[in-house]
Structure formats: structure tokens, C-alpha cells
Amino acid sequence: MNPSCELSTTPSYAKLASFFAPLALQSASQGLTYPLVAMVASRGQGGPLNLAGLAQSNTILFMLGTLGFGLVATGMVFGKTREGFARFRGLTLRLGATVVAIQALLCIPAVAQLLLENWIGLPPSIARPAHITLLASVPLQFFFFLRIPYQVSMYNGLASGRASLATLARIVITALLAPLFCALGAVGPVWAVVCLSLPVGLEVVASALLAAPFMAALPAAQGAPPRKRELFWFNLPLSAGGYLLSLSAILLGAFIARAEAPERMLPAYYLALGLATPVAFGATRIQEVVLSFHPAQSKERRTIVFALMAGLMLGLLPLIFILPGLAEFYYVRLQNLAPADLPIVRLTALGLVAFPLTVALRAQGEGLAGVARKPMTVIAGQAAFLSTVLTTSALSLWMGVAGNWIGALALSLGNIASTTVARLLLNRFKHQDRPVPGTTTTCGLSR
């Protein structure tokens, strides 16, 4: 189940691409479900305002869920035995229950009004769908935690290809349900959450079936299994960095909401971001490429060149949807955008071209930090990301920059700042020739 292999210190670009493509496809496909359900939300009463509310509640959902940001890495380190996996799974379920409880508390009307309208500054027309979708997505949050142990067991078995099958099935089901819901008149923010949650629930079931052989084959621990406290403290620093990235998305929404014409700019920004985010998710898998192929003691620059090429290609993909004809079909007909706002979306999409590219560069730097075993440089880089997003957004708002451009500028500059800080800190340390923990795949994909 775990075949050995030898990786060349100077892999060809074709080899890097063959390793990266399945991982990028899996990550990108997970983000594709949100543009699919957007048509369900935007066709209800309120139109694209429902989409803006759904996007804002999803941002809060993801921020809360980052308490489990490091669980995959934790499971890949401690979940390779029967006893270790059992404790890892117990920790995952406890953290999931904790996050669900916090999310439910945020849905109390007085708390939701304080968070969405007073702190974030959403207008009531967007805050209402944000509140109701945050409440409706409580089961969805728990589904995300439920699937983690199953995915980890397949990753540890070097079966990332097998693990991606459940995700791809989820995309297909969502793609079938979204137009069906629209045809049946089941539209609006709540139905959008239902359309999003049902396939994820089925993905959990499929993942459990696919992972069963790997969980059954786990060996017994030779020594004392790790304590849950040990697992928790291993996961916590990894999750802390995820909170910084998630918090930046909420803060961006707050700045855009305070710019001119938020009821036009927020929907336009989230519609364009809905296509840029999946490819940016794919670009994050450059980190695994570096961990698997970058030699610890070498200055081989092949991975940075590959990151530049992959990031540029991924950044250009969403521009297909601003072409004449396709833009009207996707944004106006499917997403119910007002035709007068189509130029705003086009400009936003152009501004977001650099987003996946800068994410790829950041992921390459974080991969180098993993090779050097310097995780604190990653956290420092993510802190630089958040501070740059705040500074750029505040200055842009003060200078009267349009809301849709605030997000595009802040995201790209934040990623540049993150990778710059990480690389400067890495230059102060000597790379240690130590084995890197297993990533989602170590030397190949399961057949």
C-alpha cells in the first residue's frame, strides 16, 4: 500500500506538472461548487444581494472552520496506527462540535446583527441573507470535519487519487442539483445552502466507503499512542495561520462595504472572486510539489519557475468568462447580474489575474519553509499578509478606490508581502537535511 520510490533532485517540468495537476484539480474542484450554487441564491428574491450575503456567511463559516486547518497534517503524522488514528478522529470530532457550537451562537439574532451590520458594516439587504445562510450552514460545517479522518487515511495510504473521487462526485452532483433547484423554483439563500450541503454529506459517505480498506489495514501501535493533548497542540499553531488568512477575507468585505455603492460592488466582487478562488486553491498545492521535489540542501530553482508558470496559467483561466457572449451567459443569465454591472465584474476579473499567481509564489515559499523545518516563518508570512491587506484596504478606501478593486489589490499585495517575509526569514537559517513529513502524496498517485 505504501510503495517506496526515489525522487530525482532535478525533476523535469513534465514530472512536476504530472504530480501537481491532480492535486490542483482536487483543490480547485472543491471551490467550483460555490459558483454553481450561486445561481440558486441569486435567482431568489433579492437577486445578487443574496449571493453577497451567502459569500459573507461562507467566509465566516470558513474562518470558524480553520480551527481544523492543521488537522490533515496532524493526522498524517499521528494517525498512521490504529490507536493514533482513533485519537486523531476523536480530536477531530470534538473540534468539529466546538466550531458548530460557536457558529450556532453567532446566529443568535442580537449577536448576528452586531457581527454583520455593526462590525462588518453590511447593509441590511445583504446582512439578512448572510444571517440566515450562516444558520442554515451549521450542518455543512460539521460535514467538513467529518470527512477529514477519511481523507487522511487515504492520504497516508498514498491514495490521493482515490480520495479525489469523492470530491469529483460531489462536484457532479452539485452541478446537477443547481439547475434542478432553479427549474423547480427552489431558489434563494436557504436553498443555495441546501444545494451545497447535500453533496457534501454524500461526499462524507463516499469517503467513508473509499477509506474503509485503509482504516482496516492500520497497524497496531508499537508504543504508547499519542495523547489527544499532544495532537491538539500540534494542530493549534498550524490552524493559527489559517485564522489570519480567513480573517482577512472578512475584513476585506468590511472595507468594500464602506466604499461607494456597496450593493453593486460587493456582488460584482464576489462573482469574480467566485471564479478566481478555485484556481487560487489549486495554486496552493505548489507547496506539496516543493515538499516532494525540492532538495533540502540545494538551490535548485526549478520549483520557483514552475510556480510562476502554473500561477500565471491559473490566473488567466477565469478570464474566459469575461469574453463577449460567455460573460452575458454566465454572469447575467446564470448568476442574475444586472447587465449594467457587467463592466464592473469584467474589471474585477482583470484585477484578480495576479491573485492565483501570487498565491502560487506564496505556496512555493511555504514549501521551502517546510523543507527547512521552519514553520514559524509561515506564520510570520501570514501575519504579513493580514497586515498588508489591512493597510492596502484602508489606504484604498481613504483614496476613494472602487470597492471591487480594493479586494483585488489587497489580496495580491498581501500574498507578495507574505512570501517576501517568509523568504527573508528563511535566508537567516541554514536548511536542515531532515526528512519532510508525508504530504497528500509522497511519490505518486494511487491507481
Side-chain angles (χ1 to χ4, degrees):
M1 187 178 298
N2 294 293
S4 62
C5 62
E6 294 183 1
L7 297 176
S8 169
T9 56
T10 56
S12 66
Y13 289 116
K15 189 172 186 178
L16 294 178
S18 65
F19 181 84
F20 170 71
L23 299 177
L25 178 62
Q26 183 184 16
S27 291
S29 62
Q30 293 184 53
L32 287 175
T33 57
Y34 301 99
L36 288 172
V37 302
M39 68 176 72
V40 179
S42 60
R43 287 174 179 267
Q45 185 177 3
L49 297 176
N50 290 331
L51 172 61
L54 176 64
Q56 194 65 54
S57 68
N58 280 340
T59 300
I60 297 172
L61 179 141
F62 295 144
M63 190 194 74
L64 295 174
T66 50
L67 184 59
F69 190 80
L71 282 174
V72 171
T74 303
M76 294 181 70
V77 172
F78 296 102
K80 295 182 178 180
T81 64
R82 192 177 306 136
E83 295 81 3
F85 183 82
R87 296 201 173 182
F88 161 68
R89 189 176 185 180
L91 172 68
T92 301
L93 295 178
R94 288 188 181 186
L95 289 178
T98 301
V99 170
V100 164
I102 296 172
Q103 183 171 331
L105 289 175
L106 292 179
C107 294
I108 297 174
V111 178
Q113 182 178 3
L114 180 65
L115 172 65
L116 299 171
E117 297 187 34
N118 296 351
W119 290 354
I120 299 180
L122 297 178
S125 56
I126 296 177
R128 282 193 296 271
H131 179 199
I132 193 171
T133 51
L134 185 63
L135 178 60
S137 61
V138 167
L140 176 64
Q141 181 74 271
F142 197 62
F143 287 159
F144 286 144
F145 278 86
L146 280 177
R147 72 179 182 180
I148 291 175
Y150 303 125
Q151 291 180 327
V152 165
S153 67
M154 288 185 278
Y155 292 160
N156 280 337
L158 301 183
S160 61
R162 185 185 181 101
S164 67
L165 292 177
T167 302
L168 294 176
R170 165 191 165 193
I171 307 306
V172 173
I173 295 172
T174 307
L176 294 174
L177 285 181
L180 178 62
F181 277 35
C182 292
L184 296 176
V187 293
V190 174
W191 282 110
V193 175
V194 174
C195 185
L196 187 63
S197 302
L198 282 178
V200 177
L202 294 175
E203 181 187 14
V204 173
V205 175
S207 297
L209 295 174
L210 292 169
F214 298 93
M215 292 188 294
L218 287 172
Q222 296 299 317
R227 295 178 300 173
K228 289 183 179 179
R229 180 179 298 179
E230 183 180 359
L231 271 67
F232 175 77
W233 287 111
F234 184 90
N235 168 73
L236 191 60
L238 299 175
S239 299
Y243 267 110
L244 295 178
L245 298 180
S246 298
L247 180 60
S248 65
I250 293 180
L251 294 174
L252 271 177
F255 279 105
I256 297 173
R258 287 166 170 79
E260 187 178 355
E263 294 189 349
R264 296 183 66 195
M265 295 301 175
L266 275 171
Y269 169 70
Y270 283 126
L271 277 173
L273 189 66
L275 293 177
T277 296
V279 292
F281 281 162
T284 63
R285 308 313 289 268
I286 295 290
Q287 183 179 20
E288 277 87 343
V289 174
V290 177
L291 288 170
S292 297
F293 292 100
H294 193 94
Q297 299 275 0
S298 172
K299 293 184 178 180
E300 162 65 35
R301 300 185 181 276
R302 196 167 296 251
T303 57
I304 183 66
V305 176
F306 180 78
L308 284 167
M309 294 189 300
L312 180 60
M313 182 190 70
L314 291 172
L316 292 174
L317 284 178
L319 295 186
I320 297 173
F321 289 88
I322 68 172
L323 295 175
L326 190 55
E328 285 78 7
F329 174 76
Y330 177 74
Y331 288 114
V332 177
R333 290 186 58 187
L334 292 184
Q335 304 295 0
N336 202 27
L337 179 75
D341 291 339
L342 190 55
I344 301 176
V345 175
R346 280 197 167 105
L347 288 174
T348 307
L350 289 170
L352 288 169
V353 166
F355 177 38
L357 173 60
T358 56
V359 168
L361 293 175
R362 191 193 82 211
Q364 197 267 348
E366 291 175 353
L368 294 177
V371 172
R373 289 297 189 93
K374 301 296 180 183
M376 291 305 297
T377 63
V378 176
I379 297 178
Q382 291 166 344
F385 176 90
L386 179 60
S387 61
T388 302
V389 166
L390 285 173
T391 303
T392 303
S393 300
L395 287 175
S396 299
L397 185 64
W398 177 71
M399 294 172 63
V401 175
N404 59 318
W405 276 96
I406 290 177
L409 288 171
L411 287 173
S412 296
L413 291 177
N415 282 309
I416 292 172
S418 176
T419 188
T420 300
V421 169
R423 291 169 196 275
L424 288 175
L425 291 175
L426 282 174
N427 286 337
R428 296 188 177 185
F429 302 109
K430 290 183 179 180
H431 284 196
Q432 300 177 8
D433 190 13
R434 299 172 62 183
V436 179
T439 56
T440 53
T441 56
T442 301
C443 58
L445 298 176
S446 170
R447 294 183 181 180

